[in-house]
mmCIF file of all heavy atoms in Angstrom:
data_model
loop_
_atom_site.group_PDB
_atom_site.id
_atom_site.type_symbol
_atom_site.label_atom_id
_atom_site.label_comp_id
_atom_site.label_asym_id
_atom_site.label_seq_id
_atom_site.Cartn_x
_atom_site.Cartn_y
_atom_site.Cartn_z
ATOM 1 N N PHE N 1 29.476 -12.101 -25.725
ATOM 2 C CA PHE N 1 28.528 -12.285 -24.570
ATOM 3 C C PHE N 1 29.257 -11.765 -23.358
ATOM 4 O O PHE N 1 30.465 -11.755 -23.205
ATOM 5 C CB PHE N 1 28.120 -13.737 -24.517
ATOM 6 C CG PHE N 1 29.103 -14.676 -23.790
ATOM 7 C CD1 PHE N 1 29.054 -15.004 -22.418
ATOM 8 C CD2 PHE N 1 30.100 -15.267 -24.506
ATOM 9 C CE1 PHE N 1 29.867 -15.851 -21.881
ATOM 10 C CE2 PHE N 1 30.940 -16.208 -23.959
ATOM 11 C CZ PHE N 1 30.908 -16.414 -22.522
ATOM 12 N N ASP N 2 28.407 -11.341 -22.457
ATOM 13 C CA ASP N 2 28.924 -10.899 -21.160
ATOM 14 C C ASP N 2 28.231 -11.656 -20.034
ATOM 15 O O ASP N 2 27.268 -12.365 -20.173
ATOM 16 C CB ASP N 2 28.455 -9.384 -20.979
ATOM 17 C CG ASP N 2 29.358 -8.587 -20.109
ATOM 18 O OD1 ASP N 2 30.052 -9.157 -19.377
ATOM 19 O OD2 ASP N 2 29.430 -7.276 -20.302
ATOM 20 N N ILE N 3 28.743 -11.476 -18.823
ATOM 21 C CA ILE N 3 28.245 -12.110 -17.634
ATOM 22 C C ILE N 3 27.795 -11.075 -16.672
ATOM 23 O O ILE N 3 28.563 -10.138 -16.262
ATOM 24 C CB ILE N 3 29.124 -13.114 -16.919
ATOM 25 C CG1 ILE N 3 29.387 -14.287 -17.980
ATOM 26 C CG2 ILE N 3 28.606 -13.657 -15.592
ATOM 27 C CD1 ILE N 3 30.395 -15.311 -17.385
ATOM 28 N N GLU N 4 26.543 -11.054 -16.229
ATOM 29 C CA GLU N 4 25.990 -10.113 -15.322
ATOM 30 C C GLU N 4 26.074 -10.721 -13.887
ATOM 31 O O GLU N 4 25.456 -11.871 -13.731
ATOM 32 C CB GLU N 4 24.666 -9.662 -15.716
ATOM 33 C CG GLU N 4 24.047 -8.564 -14.993
ATOM 34 C CD GLU N 4 22.676 -8.145 -15.582
ATOM 35 O OE1 GLU N 4 22.686 -7.467 -16.585
ATOM 36 O OE2 GLU N 4 21.628 -8.759 -14.884
ATOM 37 N N VAL N 5 26.582 -10.079 -12.964
ATOM 38 C CA VAL N 5 26.605 -10.534 -11.579
ATOM 39 C C VAL N 5 25.596 -9.766 -10.778
ATOM 40 O O VAL N 5 25.498 -8.602 -10.861
ATOM 41 C CB VAL N 5 27.972 -10.296 -10.958
ATOM 42 C CG1 VAL N 5 28.095 -10.959 -9.555
ATOM 43 C CG2 VAL N 5 29.160 -10.867 -11.781
ATOM 44 N N ASN N 6 24.627 -10.498 -10.047
ATOM 45 C CA ASN N 6 23.529 -9.887 -9.338
ATOM 46 C C ASN N 6 23.511 -10.256 -7.839
ATOM 47 O O ASN N 6 23.991 -11.355 -7.494
ATOM 48 C CB ASN N 6 22.239 -10.373 -9.934
ATOM 49 C CG ASN N 6 22.036 -9.993 -11.350
ATOM 50 O OD1 ASN N 6 21.434 -8.990 -11.642
ATOM 51 N ND2 ASN N 6 22.561 -10.736 -12.293
ATOM 52 N N ALA N 7 23.140 -9.339 -7.046
ATOM 53 C CA ALA N 7 22.855 -9.514 -5.649
ATOM 54 C C ALA N 7 21.611 -8.730 -5.250
ATOM 55 O O ALA N 7 21.504 -7.596 -5.589
ATOM 56 C CB ALA N 7 24.028 -9.200 -4.734
ATOM 57 N N SER N 8 20.654 -9.442 -4.511
ATOM 58 C CA SER N 8 19.453 -8.771 -4.240
ATOM 59 C C SER N 8 18.812 -9.256 -2.896
ATOM 60 O O SER N 8 19.026 -10.440 -2.641
ATOM 61 C CB SER N 8 18.422 -8.982 -5.315
ATOM 62 O OG SER N 8 17.141 -8.540 -4.944
ATOM 63 N N PRO N 9 18.265 -8.387 -2.080
ATOM 64 C CA PRO N 9 17.529 -8.955 -0.963
ATOM 65 C C PRO N 9 16.391 -9.835 -1.416
ATOM 66 O O PRO N 9 15.853 -9.568 -2.506
ATOM 67 C CB PRO N 9 17.050 -7.706 -0.206
ATOM 68 C CG PRO N 9 17.628 -6.587 -0.954
ATOM 69 C CD PRO N 9 18.148 -7.045 -2.246
ATOM 70 N N ILE N 10 15.953 -10.835 -0.613
ATOM 71 C CA ILE N 10 14.777 -11.583 -1.001
ATOM 72 C C ILE N 10 13.588 -11.081 -0.381
ATOM 73 O O ILE N 10 12.394 -11.530 -0.808
ATOM 74 C CB ILE N 10 14.961 -13.155 -0.801
ATOM 75 C CG1 ILE N 10 15.295 -13.467 0.671
ATOM 76 C CG2 ILE N 10 16.119 -13.569 -1.657
ATOM 77 C CD1 ILE N 10 15.425 -14.915 0.965
ATOM 78 N N LEU N 11 13.717 -10.333 0.729
ATOM 79 C CA LEU N 11 12.529 -9.720 1.451
ATOM 80 C C LEU N 11 12.887 -8.283 1.820
ATOM 81 O O LEU N 11 14.059 -8.076 2.094
ATOM 82 C CB LEU N 11 12.153 -10.596 2.702
ATOM 83 C CG LEU N 11 11.348 -11.785 2.596
ATOM 84 C CD1 LEU N 11 11.263 -12.348 4.064
ATOM 85 C CD2 LEU N 11 10.010 -11.548 1.975
ATOM 86 N N ALA N 12 11.969 -7.428 1.757
ATOM 87 C CA ALA N 12 12.170 -6.048 2.080
ATOM 88 C C ALA N 12 11.678 -5.830 3.538
ATOM 89 O O ALA N 12 11.789 -4.649 4.037
ATOM 90 C CB ALA N 12 11.441 -5.041 1.125
ATOM 91 N N ALA N 13 11.180 -6.784 4.212
ATOM 92 C CA ALA N 13 10.527 -6.670 5.532
ATOM 93 C C ALA N 13 11.407 -5.797 6.448
ATOM 94 O O ALA N 13 10.925 -4.931 7.048
ATOM 95 C CB ALA N 13 10.168 -8.007 6.081
ATOM 96 N N GLU N 14 12.626 -6.309 6.634
ATOM 97 C CA GLU N 14 13.469 -5.719 7.721
ATOM 98 C C GLU N 14 13.784 -4.232 7.274
ATOM 99 O O GLU N 14 13.883 -3.441 8.152
ATOM 100 C CB GLU N 14 14.713 -6.543 7.877
ATOM 101 C CG GLU N 14 15.566 -6.079 9.101
ATOM 102 C CD GLU N 14 14.834 -5.921 10.387
ATOM 103 O OE1 GLU N 14 13.969 -6.756 10.746
ATOM 104 O OE2 GLU N 14 15.064 -4.917 11.144
ATOM 105 N N THR N 15 14.147 -4.074 6.043
ATOM 106 C CA THR N 15 14.478 -2.671 5.576
ATOM 107 C C THR N 15 13.288 -1.758 5.862
ATOM 108 O O THR N 15 13.517 -0.639 6.347
ATOM 109 C CB THR N 15 14.752 -2.668 4.116
ATOM 110 O OG1 THR N 15 15.958 -3.572 3.830
ATOM 111 C CG2 THR N 15 15.079 -1.437 3.500
ATOM 112 N N LEU N 16 12.116 -2.108 5.460
ATOM 113 C CA LEU N 16 10.833 -1.256 5.605
ATOM 114 C C LEU N 16 10.652 -1.127 7.133
ATOM 115 O O LEU N 16 10.245 0.002 7.609
ATOM 116 C CB LEU N 16 9.722 -1.850 4.942
ATOM 117 C CG LEU N 16 9.754 -1.825 3.370
ATOM 118 C CD1 LEU N 16 8.574 -2.536 2.765
ATOM 119 C CD2 LEU N 16 9.782 -0.338 2.950
ATOM 120 N N ARG N 17 10.748 -2.182 7.867
ATOM 121 C CA ARG N 17 10.518 -2.113 9.356
ATOM 122 C C ARG N 17 11.425 -1.095 10.015
ATOM 123 O O ARG N 17 11.027 -0.286 10.826
ATOM 124 C CB ARG N 17 10.673 -3.495 9.992
ATOM 125 C CG ARG N 17 10.042 -3.595 11.391
ATOM 126 C CD ARG N 17 10.243 -5.000 11.953
ATOM 127 N NE ARG N 17 9.470 -5.917 11.212
ATOM 128 C CZ ARG N 17 10.004 -6.967 10.666
ATOM 129 N NH1 ARG N 17 11.276 -7.265 10.616
ATOM 130 N NH2 ARG N 17 9.191 -7.912 10.034
ATOM 131 N N ARG N 18 12.751 -1.141 9.687
ATOM 132 C CA ARG N 18 13.801 -0.284 10.298
ATOM 133 C C ARG N 18 13.709 1.167 9.813
ATOM 134 O O ARG N 18 13.839 2.065 10.562
ATOM 135 C CB ARG N 18 15.143 -0.916 9.987
ATOM 136 C CG ARG N 18 16.250 -0.224 10.737
ATOM 137 C CD ARG N 18 17.557 -0.919 10.465
ATOM 138 N NE ARG N 18 17.992 -1.057 9.028
ATOM 139 C CZ ARG N 18 17.920 -2.163 8.375
ATOM 140 N NH1 ARG N 18 17.596 -3.254 8.869
ATOM 141 N NH2 ARG N 18 18.299 -2.113 7.059
ATOM 142 N N ASN N 19 13.571 1.401 8.487
ATOM 143 C CA ASN N 19 13.695 2.686 7.948
ATOM 144 C C ASN N 19 12.465 3.428 7.743
ATOM 145 O O ASN N 19 12.457 4.654 7.554
ATOM 146 C CB ASN N 19 14.356 2.530 6.525
ATOM 147 C CG ASN N 19 15.777 2.034 6.616
ATOM 148 O OD1 ASN N 19 16.440 2.225 7.654
ATOM 149 N ND2 ASN N 19 16.239 1.341 5.586
ATOM 150 N N LEU N 20 11.197 2.710 7.849
ATOM 151 C CA LEU N 20 9.987 3.377 7.510
ATOM 152 C C LEU N 20 9.013 3.231 8.677
ATOM 153 O O LEU N 20 8.772 4.264 9.405
ATOM 154 C CB LEU N 20 9.405 2.783 6.211
ATOM 155 C CG LEU N 20 8.009 3.338 5.814
ATOM 156 C CD1 LEU N 20 8.008 4.905 5.604
ATOM 157 C CD2 LEU N 20 7.481 2.637 4.596
ATOM 158 N N TRP N 21 8.514 2.058 8.917
ATOM 159 C CA TRP N 21 7.379 1.893 9.883
ATOM 160 C C TRP N 21 7.845 2.402 11.290
ATOM 161 O O TRP N 21 7.079 3.118 12.001
ATOM 162 C CB TRP N 21 6.939 0.482 10.008
ATOM 163 C CG TRP N 21 6.727 -0.301 8.703
ATOM 164 C CD1 TRP N 21 7.251 -1.362 8.289
ATOM 165 C CD2 TRP N 21 5.858 0.206 7.600
ATOM 166 N NE1 TRP N 21 6.764 -1.872 7.045
ATOM 167 C CE2 TRP N 21 5.956 -0.757 6.622
ATOM 168 C CE3 TRP N 21 5.071 1.301 7.367
ATOM 169 C CZ2 TRP N 21 5.179 -0.650 5.408
ATOM 170 C CZ3 TRP N 21 4.415 1.532 6.144
ATOM 171 C CH2 TRP N 21 4.537 0.394 5.223
ATOM 172 N N SER N 22 9.157 2.047 11.746
ATOM 173 C CA SER N 22 9.529 2.322 13.054
ATOM 174 C C SER N 22 9.805 3.864 13.202
ATOM 175 O O SER N 22 9.862 4.400 14.385
ATOM 176 C CB SER N 22 10.786 1.585 13.438
ATOM 177 O OG SER N 22 10.452 0.207 13.453
ATOM 178 N N VAL N 23 10.150 4.573 12.123
ATOM 179 C CA VAL N 23 10.563 5.922 12.217
ATOM 180 C C VAL N 23 9.472 6.927 11.891
ATOM 181 O O VAL N 23 9.301 7.982 12.585
ATOM 182 C CB VAL N 23 11.682 6.242 11.148
ATOM 183 C CG1 VAL N 23 12.248 7.553 11.405
ATOM 184 C CG2 VAL N 23 12.786 5.131 11.229
ATOM 185 N N ALA N 24 8.537 6.601 11.004
ATOM 186 C CA ALA N 24 7.484 7.580 10.541
ATOM 187 C C ALA N 24 6.601 7.937 11.718
ATOM 188 O O ALA N 24 6.335 7.149 12.674
ATOM 189 C CB ALA N 24 6.645 6.899 9.541
ATOM 190 N N TYR N 25 6.036 9.194 11.623
ATOM 191 C CA TYR N 25 4.979 9.603 12.590
ATOM 192 C C TYR N 25 3.761 8.672 12.477
ATOM 193 O O TYR N 25 3.217 8.263 13.433
ATOM 194 C CB TYR N 25 4.653 11.045 12.288
ATOM 195 C CG TYR N 25 3.467 11.528 13.175
ATOM 196 C CD1 TYR N 25 3.674 11.953 14.467
ATOM 197 C CD2 TYR N 25 2.117 11.560 12.623
ATOM 198 C CE1 TYR N 25 2.636 12.376 15.265
ATOM 199 C CE2 TYR N 25 1.106 11.974 13.439
ATOM 200 C CZ TYR N 25 1.413 12.405 14.734
ATOM 201 O OH TYR N 25 0.291 12.787 15.583
ATOM 202 N N GLY N 26 3.391 8.329 11.228
ATOM 203 C CA GLY N 26 2.251 7.398 10.986
ATOM 204 C C GLY N 26 2.197 7.047 9.502
ATOM 205 O O GLY N 26 2.814 7.731 8.703
ATOM 206 N N ALA N 27 1.584 5.898 9.216
ATOM 207 C CA ALA N 27 1.559 5.514 7.725
ATOM 208 C C ALA N 27 0.341 4.706 7.470
ATOM 209 O O ALA N 27 -0.168 3.889 8.298
ATOM 210 C CB ALA N 27 2.847 4.639 7.462
ATOM 211 N N LEU N 28 -0.239 4.907 6.257
ATOM 212 C CA LEU N 28 -1.364 4.106 5.781
ATOM 213 C C LEU N 28 -0.850 3.512 4.496
ATOM 214 O O LEU N 28 -0.267 4.072 3.639
ATOM 215 C CB LEU N 28 -2.527 5.055 5.415
ATOM 216 C CG LEU N 28 -3.591 4.490 4.478
ATOM 217 C CD1 LEU N 28 -4.387 3.286 5.074
ATOM 218 C CD2 LEU N 28 -4.514 5.551 3.920
#
């Protein structure tokens, strides 16, 4: 048997706000 170590964001809100919504010319 093996042990898998995981790490994940619980919300994408800040990532999308910073990298997409704030940068894009426009989005739908």
Side-chain angles (χ1 to χ4, degrees):
F1 78 98
D2 207 339
I3 293 174
E4 190 176 277
V5 183
N6 296 265
S8 169
I10 60 174
L11 280 177
E14 187 51 42
T15 298
L16 290 172
R17 193 179 293 124
R18 184 177 61 249
N19 296 329
L20 177 59
W21 314 128
S22 297
V23 188
Y25 175 80
L28 160 70

